[in-house]
Amino acid sequence: MTPIRPPSRTTDTGRHSRPSGTGRTVVVLVLVALGALIPVLGPSPALHGTGEAEAPGTGGIALLRAVLFAALSVPLGELFANRLARSLPGAPPDRPRSWSPYAAAVGLAAALGLASVVATGNLVPDSVADIDVGGLYTSRDGRLALLEVNGFLAAGLCATSRRPGLQVWPLAAVIVADALRAHPTTEYSPLLGSGLTLVHLTCASLWVGGLLYVLRTLRHWGATEAGPALLGLYARVAAVLLAALTATGVCSSLRRMPAGTILDQLTDTAYGRVLLAKVLLVAAVAALALWARIRLSRAADPLTACSPARAEVVALGVVVAVSGLLTALPVPIRW
């Protein structure tokens, strides 16, 4: 591991460098947010002028999907970041308080909401009487929805047990269920699509949740040499995660929007517009990650890298929300 200079304790340096860095971060985020809103909203909602019918409850389903993705990211990121911290020699043994039990409860609520939609024939239920719980066992989507519910329930129980690391298995089951749900059997090569989604969702969860927990750990440890070392170790692994995310995202997009039509569909379909917004946001996140890496290696105080890293977490949160919307929109499959 490349040695990292210990954090500078000079108060004047921090006083002069941090405001300018924060200001640049705010400017970048505002510009990217505006750029992302253009293809999503434009002069009107994403579906306007596309000729596509809006699915019932698109907004609610998108919100539930985003919450479910976030609930996956928090515990997986904690397990991932804790493993990185244990590999550092001389790292403090204390860790921030785990948010995994709360994430499991939130994920369980989101999974129940999505299961209720499946139980009413993919329609938003008007009352409890509209929900056919028994019908969940008779369909593929219903069984996958139940698997997600049970996965978050088991993850919550593991998170509060003496062996919280066991929650990785029910969380993995949730990811597998969501990957299978995203690609029905009527789709061309559904197993290939599910495999791409499985890798994509796993890498995204580790990236988002891992960075969140690393920043929490750095704040918990204070000004120690182990803090920048942990952030640097995470940055190296995150580069691999970003490469995997990019590769699987491009492959998935080409499967749903063939190369000959992808440019038109990025502006003429709701799915393409939101996908374009996601690409812009991910590009901004990559730029923030690179900025943090440069600060970490060159700044007199390596902990100044936390400023763009915090902005990266915020941008990743927006990416999660956009991803939730993307799953609720009609897929423009054209062969």
Side-chain angles (χ1 to χ4, degrees):
M1 182 180 298
T2 304
I4 299 176
R5 292 185 297 272
S8 172
R9 299 181 181 272
T10 305
T11 56
D12 291 341
T13 302
R15 185 179 297 114
H16 290 291
S17 62
R18 290 180 183 174
S20 60
T22 303
R24 288 193 297 268
T25 301
V26 171
V27 170
V28 170
L29 287 178
V30 169
L31 291 176
V32 171
L34 291 176
L37 288 175
I38 289 173
V40 175
L41 300 177
S44 56
L47 283 163
H48 179 71
T50 63
E52 299 168 317
E54 182 177 357
T58 299
I61 293 174
L63 177 61
L64 290 174
R65 284 283 167 206
V67 171
L68 187 143
F69 295 157
L72 272 174
S73 300
V74 170
L76 286 175
E78 288 187 3
L79 294 173
F80 169 53
N82 272 323
R83 186 176 183 87
L84 293 179
R86 285 195 298 269
S87 67
L88 290 176
D94 54 327
R95 302 284 188 273
R97 183 177 181 180
S98 175
W99 289 353
S100 294
Y102 309 107
V106 172
L108 177 61
L112 285 171
L114 291 169
S116 68
V117 173
V118 176
T120 54
N122 290 324
L123 299 173
V124 178
D126 295 326
S127 64
V128 178
D130 295 334
I131 302 176
D132 181 16
V133 178
L136 290 173
Y137 296 92
T138 62
S139 67
R140 177 179 182 269
D141 285 349
R143 290 190 292 271
L144 292 175
L146 287 174
L147 179 57
E148 292 185 350
V149 171
N150 292 332
F152 277 112
L153 180 59
L157 294 175
C158 292
T160 56
S161 69
R162 295 183 178 181
R163 301 186 65 183
L166 291 176
Q167 63 184 310
V168 67
W169 300 112
L171 292 173
V174 173
I175 293 179
V176 171
D178 203 74
L180 292 173
R181 176 211 57 82
H183 299 275
T185 54
T186 55
E187 181 181 294
Y188 178 78
S189 300
L191 289 180
L192 175 60
S194 296
L196 291 171
T197 302
L198 176 67
V199 175
H200 193 82
L201 186 54
T202 301
C203 292
S205 299
L206 295 176
W207 187 11
V208 178
L211 180 57
L212 176 62
Y213 195 72
V214 164
L215 291 176
R216 291 183 60 212
T217 302
L218 262 63
R219 184 175 182 180
H220 188 73
W221 285 351
T224 62
E225 294 185 19
L230 176 61
L231 187 58
L233 180 58
Y234 165 81
R236 288 190 288 274
V237 180
V240 178
L241 296 177
L242 176 59
L245 277 169
T246 303
T248 54
V250 169
C251 292
S252 295
S253 299
L254 290 177
R255 290 185 73 254
R256 289 177 166 173
M257 295 185 294
T261 64
I262 191 169
L263 291 179
D264 292 333
Q265 294 193 53
L266 284 176
T267 56
D268 295 343
T269 65
Y271 186 90
R273 293 173 182 177
V274 178
L275 178 62
L276 180 57
K278 182 178 177 180
V279 170
L280 290 174
L281 288 166
V282 171
V285 170
L288 289 169
L290 179 61
W291 181 12
R293 182 68 182 270
I294 292 174
R295 276 196 171 190
L296 189 65
S297 60
R298 298 181 181 178
D301 182 0
L303 288 180
T304 58
C306 290
S307 177
R310 293 189 190 100
E312 184 183 345
V313 169
V314 175
L316 284 171
V318 180
V319 171
V320 170
V322 172
S323 299
L325 176 60
L326 198 63
T327 62
L329 292 173
V331 179
I333 301 179
R334 299 178 183 176
W335 302 102

